[in-house]
Amino acid sequence: MNKVKGVEKKGYAKYGFVIFFVSIGIVWMLGDMLAGFLLGYDPFDPRAHTEVIARAKTLLFIFSSAFIGVCTYLTYLLFLKGLSLEKQGLLDIFATPPKNNPQPIEPFKKTIPDEVPTVSVEKSVSTSQVSQEEDTTEVLVDHESVLSPQQLTILYDNSPVPYFVMDDSGNVRSANKATMRFFSATPEDFQVANLYTLISNMHRNDSAHAVALLVSKVQRGVSISEEEVTFKTYKDEERIALMSIYSIDRGNVEIPFRHLVALHDVTKDREAEEIKTDFLLLASHQLRTPTTTIKWYVDYMLDTKSFQLNEDAKGCLQEIYTANKRMMDLVSTLLTVSRIEMGTLAPEYAQVSLGAVAEDVFEELASDIGKKKIVVTKNIPKESDALTDKTMVRIIIHNLLTNAIKYTHEGGVVQLDINDKGMSRLIVVKDSGCGIPVAEQSRIFSKMFRASNARKMSAQGTGLGLFMTKMFVEKLGGTLSFESLEGKGTIFTITLPRVAPDA
Amino acid sequence: MNDMNEQKKVLVVDDEEALTTVLARKFTEEGMMAYTAFNGKTGLEIALEKHPDVILLDIMMPEMDGLEVMKILREDDWGKNIPIILLTNSSSYDTVEKAVGIGMSEFLVKDELKLDEVVERVKKHFRDI
């Protein structure tokens, strides 16, 4: 408490000096005049200054200084900080100092020192209804510490984090203001509140079981850290929070409200996530439906002989088909990228034969390879399994091979090797293509970036392929590197762990 | 079960009318009898009245969604063994899981298939009957 006073005074120190010097001046004059008046001489007559008078003046000076000093301090207390001090209990300096009674809480100080603030919070909150003499929190407060129990109470009460304490059966006490706001409740509502009845849903499949598990954990005093829980407020709204519970070890002493519950409101975050997901769903449904309609109508017109289309019309339809296909690919790429960024793209692990995936991709790209008369070399071992995500691996290999083919001139060479390197599989894609200019090499994995020579070679491209490839490789615990010489070719090297770290 | 020469009946239920129509035209072209419905409720009524051999069902639809329609059909004496192909673009894992639980026969993602591939899948179910 002494510390606190020190802190309070510090801010007003400059005023203190002014008051001090002004006081001296006033007191000197007052002393002179008062002495003159009392002793019957003219204070402005230098002859009157005898030794006796000088002594009397000094005495009067000291008394008046003390009087004015006390008055100044009291004025300061009452008018500048008076109200708030009273509220904060800092005027306790005038009350009897708290006694050091080693009361029930003493044992906990020794057993779990980490929990000391919790104890004092709980105690000091409850002591607001109890008389000062029973205040045992002093025992637990380290006098070296900055926090007094009263300050702790203020912090607890006004903290933006919802806090309350509860007993083993979930009965809630001492809910702070943030808790009231969280539950849209009044202090009256919380006089009979029970945590378990406020829970509307635990974020698990089996909600009843989850609540039962929570109750048993609380009773055993097991700490709970950031468990996601949906609560029903007093206005019947749902609110989602990460709930943490810290409990004091009961020991031999009965201490009913021994659990401190803290909530972290994540309702807004969850809503935002939901909106993002809804947007993705909307995008996927609303964009993919029309593109599918176009595709199937073109299919239908090309396949239906009764239309008797001439070759020219068929060629036009084919153009529509190709353009539409590009749009569909773009939509699905954009969706994948959004999913990566939202972190909702979780890999599904299975044994995947990298060789088989590569063969499959080559098959898909066979017509492009044929058109450009590209010479393909494949070195795929018999055994090339890895526990990884097949869709992602396919996209990785697909992107690297399409790039290799797209940016290699007619009659060029594309080579794919799958090897082992320690506990990893190595996928190397080599081409004799246009290469990547040195100045642009550092940017090739950024989103929407396309190298200048790549843009010249092919107008098509989103600049998302390598970005996605890198994201996937990293997600699967692998690494991605490349060497490139402009005009000569590029080598991409990927390592993928045989067992993905998260699998 | 069915006479092989008998005209096969297919029901297409999808709120995207143009898409439903082109599928129906294609099936007709292939010698089948095609029924169409543009929402789940109508789809269910036609299914229970016409007893098609295969049902193609979209998931996201007004009135009653595809999963609900399938659920009701699976509780019906006639509907419990009928091939139901879910045809959708929202291939979220949750949806697929739910659909498997209710008893779908096949799950097709629209934009991954060509029109004649859809026809092939439907014909495969005829052979299985």
Side-chain angles (χ1 to χ4, degrees), chain A residues 29-90:
Chain A
M29 278 167 64
L30 275 178
D32 253 358
M33 285 157 77
L34 206 61
F37 174 73
L38 287 176
L39 302 171
Y41 72 96
D42 178 1
F44 300 104
D45 180 1
R47 292 166 301 167
H49 285 246
T50 63
E51 202 180 322
V52 178
I53 287 171
R55 268 194 210 137
K57 272 170 73 180
T58 311
L59 263 173
L60 273 167
F61 172 66
I62 291 169
F63 279 122
S64 324
S65 315
F67 178 72
I68 288 178
V70 168
C71 284
T72 313
Y73 184 60
L74 281 179
T75 314
Y76 158 73
L77 278 185
L78 290 172
F79 290 96
L80 281 173
K81 296 288 285 180
L83 282 172
S84 58
L85 279 178
E86 193 170 34
K87 213 194 258 169
Q88 293 169 19
L90 288 180

Side-chain angles (χ1 to χ4, degrees), chain A residues 206-279:
Chain A
D206 187 357
S207 186
H209 178 71
V211 174
L213 192 70
L214 174 74
V215 174
S216 101
K217 274 187 178 176
V218 167
Q219 278 170 357
R220 281 181 289 131
V222 177
S223 290
I224 285 156
S225 173
E226 309 221 313
E227 183 115 17
E228 189 163 320
V229 181
T230 306
F231 292 99
K232 213 163 205 112
T233 69
Y234 283 81
K235 281 188 182 157
D236 244 8
E237 302 151 334
E238 292 219 314
R239 268 171 181 269
I240 305 161
L242 300 178
M243 180 173 71
S244 301
I245 303 181
Y246 314 95
S247 308
I248 305 165
D249 187 7
R250 186 190 276 125
N252 302 320
V253 190
E254 201 50 48
I255 164 163
F257 291 92
R258 66 194 184 100
H259 310 284
L260 175 72
V261 185
L263 303 176
H264 173 204
D265 191 351
V266 290
T267 315
K268 286 221 167 67
D269 309 53
R270 295 293 175 269
E271 273 169 8
E273 276 164 32
E274 215 162 281
I275 289 166
K276 272 188 201 163
T277 316
D278 283 354
F279 171 74

